[in-house]
């Protein structure tokens, strides 16, 4: 069964760190583009970071480039988002996403329309 399950969210104070995990079924994970998105109440979904599980490609949004890192563990079919120096503006639901097929190469890896599979999300709340 194709699935994406996020974990690692929580409540932290500004300046703290969190590491989000996205565990994927092998048919979504293997040699595909995957990404993290976030959505705050009343705002549009925003692409945060993307990665290609079959190689070394990564892409992190300019807005979080200095603080967030995306990585993967192919042995565990898991993608991570390390978030450091968190600020209240990072408060959002964070979603993991995967493209529809291995052959799908996103023209914009941080655009939500490129992704067909989505997890249910994990909440991140940063207090000042």
């Amino acid at each position: 069964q194709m699935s994406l399950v996020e974990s690692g969210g929580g409540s932290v104070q500004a300046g703290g760190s969190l590491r989000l995990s996205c565990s994927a079924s092998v048919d979504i994970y293997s040699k595909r583009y995957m990404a993290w998105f976030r959505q705050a109440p009343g705002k549009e979904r925003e692409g945060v970071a993307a990665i290609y599980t079959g190689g070394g490609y990564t892409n992190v949004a300019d807005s979080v480039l200095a603080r967030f890192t995306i990585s993967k563990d192919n042995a565990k079919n898991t993608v991570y988002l390390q978030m450091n120096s968190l600020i209240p503006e990072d408060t959002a639901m964070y979603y993991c996403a995967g493209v529809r097929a291995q052959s799908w190469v996103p023209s914009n890896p941080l655009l939500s329309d490129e992704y067909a599979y989505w997890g249910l999300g994990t909440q991140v709340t940063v207090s000042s």
Side-chain angles (χ1 to χ4, degrees):
Q1 181 177 356
M2 295 182 172
S3 68
L4 294 169
V5 180
E6 302 95 335
S7 62
S11 296
V12 297
Q13 291 191 327
S17 297
L18 284 173
R19 188 178 78 157
L20 305 184
S21 299
C22 172
S23 178
S25 55
V26 64
D27 44 9
I28 296 178
Y29 182 91
S30 180
K31 296 181 180 179
R32 294 184 186 222
Y33 285 84
M34 297 186 66
W36 285 98
F37 290 80
R38 66 184 181 184
Q39 189 166 19
K43 294 189 176 181
E44 292 186 356
R45 189 165 294 188
E46 173 190 16
V48 176
I51 193 166
Y52 177 58
T53 63
Y57 171 86
T58 62
N59 185 353
V60 180
D62 289 343
S63 60
V64 299
L65 181 59
R67 302 183 294 119
F68 291 9
T69 303
I70 190 169
S71 62
K72 58 183 170 65
D73 185 336
N74 288 350
K76 297 181 178 179
N77 293 344
T78 299
V79 173
Y80 302 98
L81 184 68
Q82 178 68 43
M83 305 186 296
N84 299 327
S85 302
L86 286 161
I87 59 177
E89 289 75 15
D90 294 321
T91 295
M93 184 71 79
Y94 283 71
Y95 298 92
C96 179
V99 296
R100 68 181 71 250
Q102 291 182 342
S103 58
W104 190 276
V105 180
S107 56
N108 182 351
L110 298 181
L111 183 64
S112 61
D113 289 349
E114 299 278 9
Y115 296 87
Y117 300 104
W118 292 84
L120 296 179
T122 185
Q123 177 68 38
V124 171
T125 302
V126 184
S127 58
S128 58

